[in-house]
Amino acid sequence: TGKTIFAYMRRSTTKKEQASSLPQQEEGIEYIAKNLWMEISSIRSYVESRSGFENRSRKEWQKMLEEIDKQNEPCIILCRDTSRLSRNPTDNLAIANRMFWDNKQKKVIQSIYFLGTGMIVDEWNEKTNKKHIVDTLHQNYTDSMENKEKCIAWVLLKLEQGEFPYCPPHGLSRANREWVKRTNRNEKTTLKQNEKMPFVRQAFEMKAKGRTAKEICKYLKQYGGVHISWKNIVETIISNTVYMGVYTEKTTGSVFENIKFWEWKPPIDK
């Protein structure tokens, strides 16, 4: 085509069922490129490895837009499906403005190619009904909000049951579910102290005794194999209430004080 080609990929969530999301999107983009006789090695890819729910700024998306705006002629964007592009009304407007040169925005997007129904390569361009594009992007955003609400509901349910559905902090792991069931101790996934917990506990003791963040980080690295920047030590460990069996859900502000542990009590006393 002679035009610069960009590809954008983004995960929806960080849950296990989304683990294959990025590889699937990559395969979809390769499929589109081959069908359009595009040189895959010439495609500039931008990959958002974190969930859209978690990373509101979408750094890779912003980088791609900055590069698109630098182009001397309109470019081409490839995506597995249009829902990858839509995250919020601001991003939707950014797409429409750059395709239809609205709101004093220079036209820098020639076409957007994606996979439609039946694995057919579909295209949006300036000849496409603008209302259809805007409505589709808005619907994608609405669907995203509904999925977010469902995701939050799932998280709240787990927390209400005493489970911690996120990545455990240093010194803690999830007890193996099959092992837990086999011993008939608890059918829910619980947090369990691992070999690094004694060092994390010592970090709390050092803080209580007035040791500096740098001293604590040096100790954790040297003896516990825990690598944390001294700038993040308070946020990551010292003020992390999960060690005390308490978690505040960020979206709703709900406080859960019954996070369950395999040892029946939190590793750090309140």
Side-chain angles (χ1 to χ4, degrees), residues 175 179-180 183 185-186 190-193 260-265:
W179 180 56
V180 170
T183 57
R185 292 190 63 176
N186 194 336
T190 60
L191 292 179
K192 183 180 181 181
Q193 299 179 33
K260 292 180 171 57
F261 292 84
W262 175 255
E263 295 80 9
W264 299 109
K265 65 178 183 178

Side-chain angles (χ1 to χ4, degrees), residues 1-5 36-39 42 73-76 110 113:
T1 64
K3 297 182 180 296
T4 304
I5 305 171
L36 298 177
W37 297 92
M38 294 177 175
E39 181 61 45
S42 66
E73 60 177 313
C75 68
I76 292 173
Q110 178 68 45
Y113 289 100

Side-chain angles (χ1 to χ4, degrees), residues 38 74 93 101-102 114 141 145 175 183-184 189 199 215 224 236:
M38 294 177 175
L93 184 62
W101 58 92
D102 287 342
F114 56 94
Y141 165 66
M145 291 298 98
T183 57
N184 294 319
T189 301
F199 303 99
E215 288 177 317
T236 304

Side-chain angles (χ1 to χ4, degrees), residues 208-263:
K209 294 178 180 178
R211 304 294 288 273
T212 67
K214 290 184 178 180
E215 288 177 317
I216 297 173
C217 288
K218 182 179 179 180
Y219 166 80
L220 287 172
K221 179 180 179 180
Q222 183 175 356
Y223 297 102
V226 178
H227 299 263
I228 303 176
S229 167
W230 66 271
K231 296 180 180 179
N232 301 324
I233 186 66
V234 173
E235 178 183 358
T236 304
I237 290 184
I238 305 302
S239 65
N240 192 332
T241 59
V242 174
Y243 291 113
M244 298 180 287
V246 179
Y247 181 74
T248 302
E249 202 282 316
K250 297 178 181 179
T251 304
T252 62
S254 301
V255 179
F256 298 86
E257 301 183 7
N258 64 330
I259 302 301
K260 292 180 171 57
F261 292 84
W262 175 255
E263 295 80 9

Side-chain angles (χ1 to χ4, degrees), residues 192-205:
K192 183 180 181 181
Q193 299 179 33
N194 58 35
E195 70 281 358
K196 294 185 179 181
M197 193 60 228
F199 303 99
V200 172
R201 187 180 291 107
Q202 181 62 26
F204 278 89
E205 295 286 349

Side-chain angles (χ1 to χ4, degrees), residues 139-157:
Q139 185 61 50
N140 290 338
Y141 165 66
T142 301
D143 292 343
S144 175
M145 291 298 98
E146 291 179 355
N147 289 336
K148 180 179 181 180
E149 291 178 358
K150 292 178 182 178
C151 181
I152 292 174
W154 176 83
V155 166
L156 293 177
L157 176 61

